[in-house]
Amino acid sequence: MKYEGVCIAVSDVKQARKFYEELFGLTVFQDYGINISFHGGLSLQQEFDWLLDIPKEKIKSAPHNMELYFEEDNFDDFIEVLHARSDIKYLGDGVKEAGWGQRSIRFYDLDGHIIEVGENMKMVVRRFLDEGMTMSEVSVRMDVSLADLEMLLGD
């Protein structure tokens, strides 16, 4: 058994494809017209009702019970790109910083699926070091062992 990814229902596969390609730089692995799979495991399915053989009205929009999660090395640059778009509806008040220091933002895709983009954890460590913190201080701030931080930076 091998996990392959997630398939989400979309109302317009062409618009959804453009959204994910432009915003996240995803590349198509397979294109079957109403079903598109990207490298990395995300698939888009138009006519989800047909796929599952259930009535169209049973397909929910914006269910708020899952999210697609991405990490970004250049978090501040991504936020600028996001703010330049007119088709983004945010969830919450914008960028949030977790207790361990990772910044993230949540918003909806064109069909109401929640997307979270978090700052890559390696970049969080580097940001703290660039701000003048020692590795020991970063370890305390992030509640992570020095060995885990060193392993993270070694990747």
Side-chain angles (χ1 to χ4, degrees):
M1 180 75 63
K2 178 183 173 193
Y3 175 75
E4 290 292 331
V6 64
C7 181
I8 59 173
V10 298
S11 57
D12 184 320
V13 75
K14 289 179 182 169
Q15 285 184 359
R17 174 184 178 165
K18 183 178 178 191
F19 178 86
Y20 282 93
E21 285 177 330
E22 288 179 359
L23 199 52
F24 300 104
L26 298 182
T27 57
V28 171
F29 172 64
Q30 295 173 319
D31 182 344
Y32 298 111
I34 62 171
N35 178 281
I36 293 174
S37 296
F38 293 105
H39 289 278
L42 175 62
S43 296
L44 310 174
Q45 177 71 46
Q46 187 173 308
E47 299 178 26
F48 208 72
D49 56 315
W50 166 82
L51 179 69
L52 301 180
D53 195 25
I54 62 172
K56 191 176 281 290
E57 60 272 6
K58 295 272 188 176
I59 304 299
K60 294 182 179 181
S61 178
H64 294 102
N65 63 359
M66 62 81 67
E67 69 178 16
L68 301 174
Y69 177 72
F70 297 85
E71 283 194 350
E72 174 59 48
D73 288 351
N74 301 307
F75 188 76
D76 293 324
D77 292 343
F78 177 77
I79 296 301
E80 287 181 27
V81 168
L82 201 60
H83 288 314
R85 296 183 64 106
S86 61
D87 58 352
I88 302 298
K89 181 179 173 191
Y90 296 95
L91 183 65
D93 296 326
V95 176
K96 293 174 77 173
E97 186 170 320
W100 56 89
Q102 182 187 33
R103 298 175 294 163
S104 65
I105 191 163
R106 287 184 175 88
F107 54 96
Y108 297 98
D109 75 359
L110 302 175
D111 290 285
H113 301 102
I114 298 171
I115 298 174
E116 178 183 358
V117 176
E119 182 179 19
N120 179 300
M121 292 303 291
K122 185 177 196 175
M123 303 311 290
V124 175
V125 175
R126 286 191 176 151
R127 180 166 48 89
F128 287 153
L129 293 173
D130 289 346
E131 290 172 1
M133 293 175 77
T134 65
M135 283 291 278
S136 294
E137 291 169 329
V138 173
S139 173
V140 170
R141 171 70 166 83
M142 295 181 74
D143 194 23
V144 176
S145 72
L146 282 171
D148 284 347
L149 288 178
E150 289 168 2
M151 183 175 65
L152 182 62
L153 289 175
D155 286 343

